[in-house]
């Protein structure tokens, strides 16, 4: 009598073949043995549960709330660290002909971000659009009054230094750094970890091209230097330059780039002897979206301080972004932005 044991295993990936029983009597005329091969089935990777409202990336867990960090852009602060890890970055004019960055982290993380600098009222306003915890080191007199008169979730390094450190290889005040983990420890300690998922951008479907004229090169002549973007068809991103030189992250060494660049034209006015600025973020104005080597002209509109700034194409529909990091360049109306 023949005893034949057949074991079959099925599942994701490759199965395990059973060992051949020892006492098997094969018929004399049967020169071939049947093999039962396990079906090898490939399962599609699980789709992420959520979509980040800021960069359109798939994420498995929705973060608690955004964190907005004020980043120095004085000459002594360049190059910066951590901007390549942010979900969204703003470049905004400040006094002295320079700019500052507001780097917003939602699901993005970095071990080093900085140099961190002081607050300005309009930077606070942008942070409030996203209901973010605003991170800064000191503030202008106007921002100090803003904090006193308005309830804003913020962390000032001058009063909460434990989440920050100084890099001795750089001169103060351009040497203050933190990390997303450090900041979140401070946020939780201060009870600012209130769940708040912002309403984000609209994103194009995969393979959906932006409608607009060709624009592989973009130049923004700020007072401190010429910020340029050049489209890289291989990476499908705009590489960032300053005065014709690649603009790299200090820590990673990677050239900064963006899937989308939005230019937002705003009214800017100096109002005191220090040259501090008022940047008018409420109202409407011209806007340009650069994505996938093309440009789409349109407008921006913002009705209240805490409401989002919305960007519209010429038909009045919301501009739809490519998945990935976006840089929003706020430029004074007098600045002549060019592209080709």
């Amino acid at each position: 009598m023949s005893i034949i044991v057949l074991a079959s295993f099925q599942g994701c990936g490759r199965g395990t073949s059973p060992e051949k029983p020892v006492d098997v009597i094969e018929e004399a005329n049967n020169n071939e043995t049947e093999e039962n091969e396990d079906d090898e089935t490939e399962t599609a990777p699980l789709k992420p549960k959520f979509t980040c409202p800021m960069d359109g990336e798939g994420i498995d867990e929705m973060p608690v709330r955004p964190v907005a960090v004020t980043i120095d852009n004085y000459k002594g602060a360049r190059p910066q660290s951590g901007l390549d890890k942010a979900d969204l970055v703003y470049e905004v004019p400040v006094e002295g002909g320079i700019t500052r960055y507001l780097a917003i982290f939602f699901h993005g993380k970095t071990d080093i971000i900085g140099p961190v600098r002081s607050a300005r009222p309009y930077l606070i306003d942008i942070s409030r659009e996203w209901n973010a915890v605003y991170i800064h080191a000191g503030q202008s007199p106007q921002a100090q009054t803003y904090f006193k008169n308005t309830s804003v979730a913020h962390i000032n390094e001058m009063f909460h230094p434990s989440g920050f450190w100084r890099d001795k290889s750089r001169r103060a005040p351009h040497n203050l750094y933190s990390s997303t983990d450090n900041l979140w420890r401070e946020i939780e300690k201060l009870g600012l970890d209130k769940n708040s998922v912002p309403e984000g951008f609209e994103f194009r479907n995969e393979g959906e091209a932006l409608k607009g004229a060709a624009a592989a090169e973009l130049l923004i002549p700020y007072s401190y230097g010429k910020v340029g973007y050049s489209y890289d068809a291989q990476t499908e991103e705009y590489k960032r330059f300053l005065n014709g030189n690649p603009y790299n992250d200090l820590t990673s060494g990677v050239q900064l780039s963006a899937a989308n660049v939005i230019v937002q034209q705003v009214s800017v006015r100096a109002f005191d002897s220090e040259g501090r600025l008022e940047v008018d973020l409420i109202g409407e104005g011209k806007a340009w979206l650069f994505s996938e080597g093309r440009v789409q002209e349109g407008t921006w509109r913002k009705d209240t301080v805490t409401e989002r700034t919305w960007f519209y194409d010429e038909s009045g529909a919301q501009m739809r972004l490519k998945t990935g990091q976006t840089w929003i360049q706020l430029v004074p109306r007098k600045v002549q932005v060019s592209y080709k």
Side-chain angles (χ1 to χ4, degrees):
M1 179 181 295
S2 299
I3 301 173
I4 301 176
V5 180
L6 179 64
S8 176
F9 300 88
Q10 294 182 339
C12 297
R14 189 179 301 276
T16 304
S17 299
E19 294 183 359
K20 186 176 181 181
V22 176
D23 297 326
V24 175
I25 302 173
E26 299 184 55
E27 294 183 9
N29 294 330
N30 186 9
N31 295 322
E32 296 180 9
T33 59
E34 277 189 352
E35 294 183 358
N36 291 328
E37 295 184 354
D38 293 339
D39 293 333
E40 294 188 1
T41 57
E42 292 186 3
T43 58
L46 294 175
K47 290 184 177 180
K49 294 180 181 179
F50 305 100
T51 299
C52 175
M54 292 185 180
D55 65 8
E57 299 283 358
I59 51 178
D60 292 324
E61 184 178 355
M62 189 63 77
V64 176
R65 71 185 299 183
V67 179
V69 187
T70 308
I71 305 297
D72 195 354
N73 194 29
Y74 186 73
K75 184 177 180 180
R78 303 182 207 131
Q80 295 84 359
S81 295
L83 291 173
D84 57 334
K85 302 297 192 300
D87 299 48
L88 173 66
V89 182
Y90 290 82
E91 182 168 13
V92 187
V94 293
E95 66 275 6
I98 60 172
T99 64
R100 282 195 182 154
Y101 301 122
L102 189 68
I104 302 186
F105 297 85
F106 193 45
H107 72 92
K109 296 180 179 180
T110 181
D111 292 334
I112 178 168
I113 175 70
V116 180
R117 281 306 302 272
S118 57
R120 297 293 181 270
Y122 43 90
L123 295 174
I124 304 170
D125 285 345
I126 295 172
S127 175
R128 292 180 71 193
E129 283 193 27
W130 298 98
N131 200 19
V133 179
Y134 180 60
I135 310 297
H136 62 106
Q139 61 273 312
S140 66
Q142 296 76 24
Q144 187 172 12
T145 300
Y146 193 135
F147 287 130
K148 285 182 179 179
N149 296 337
T150 309
S151 178
V152 177
H154 71 108
I155 296 177
N156 184 351
E157 179 272 341
M158 295 180 70
F159 298 102
H160 304 281
S162 60
F164 303 81
W165 69 87
R166 294 278 178 182
D167 183 344
K168 294 181 180 179
S169 68
R170 286 188 163 186
R171 290 185 177 182
H174 314 294
N175 64 347
L176 181 67
Y177 293 87
S178 187
S179 69
T180 48
D181 283 347
N182 279 17
L183 292 175
W184 266 104
R185 279 193 286 271
E186 292 300 305
I187 288 168
E188 291 169 355
K189 187 192 306 182
L190 295 171
L192 300 176
D193 53 334
K194 310 297 184 184
N195 191 275
S196 178
V197 178
E199 185 177 4
F201 298 109
E202 290 190 5
F203 295 91
R204 300 192 297 278
N205 297 321
E206 188 174 350
E208 181 184 351
L210 181 74
K211 295 179 181 178
E217 305 288 335
L218 165 64
L219 185 64
I220 306 171
Y222 285 110
S223 297
Y224 76 92
K226 296 178 180 179
V227 171
Y229 288 94
S230 180
Y231 184 65
D232 184 332
Q234 273 194 319
T235 62
E236 297 184 346
E237 293 184 334
Y238 283 88
K239 302 287 188 182
R240 184 178 170 92
F241 295 81
L242 179 60
N243 295 325
N245 300 311
Y247 202 92
N248 299 335
D249 181 88
L250 176 63
T251 303
S252 68
V254 173
Q255 185 175 0
L256 298 182
S257 61
N260 312 283
V261 180
I262 296 176
V263 177
Q264 180 182 354
Q265 194 179 69
V266 293
S267 295
V268 175
R269 182 181 69 87
F271 67 88
D272 68 5
S273 59
E274 298 294 329
R276 295 189 181 95
L277 305 179
E278 287 181 348
V279 179
D280 193 356
L281 301 176
I282 297 177
E284 59 184 31
K286 292 183 178 180
W288 296 262
L289 166 62
F290 296 84
S291 186
E292 296 183 307
R294 295 190 171 276
V295 60
Q296 191 174 76
E297 297 189 27
T299 58
W300 63 268
R301 189 173 74 238
K302 177 180 170 69
D303 295 328
T304 65
V305 172
T306 55
E307 188 177 343
R308 279 284 317 287
T309 300
W310 299 108
F311 298 93
Y312 302 95
D313 63 22
E314 291 180 313
S315 72
Q318 275 196 49
M319 289 179 171
R320 292 162 57 84
L321 308 186
K322 177 181 171 61
T323 297
Q325 190 187 64
T326 296
W327 279 65
I328 298 180
Q329 305 283 158
L330 275 69
V331 298
R333 295 186 189 276
K334 65 180 182 180
V335 171
Q336 297 296 313
V337 176
S338 60
Y339 58 85
K340 60 182 180 180

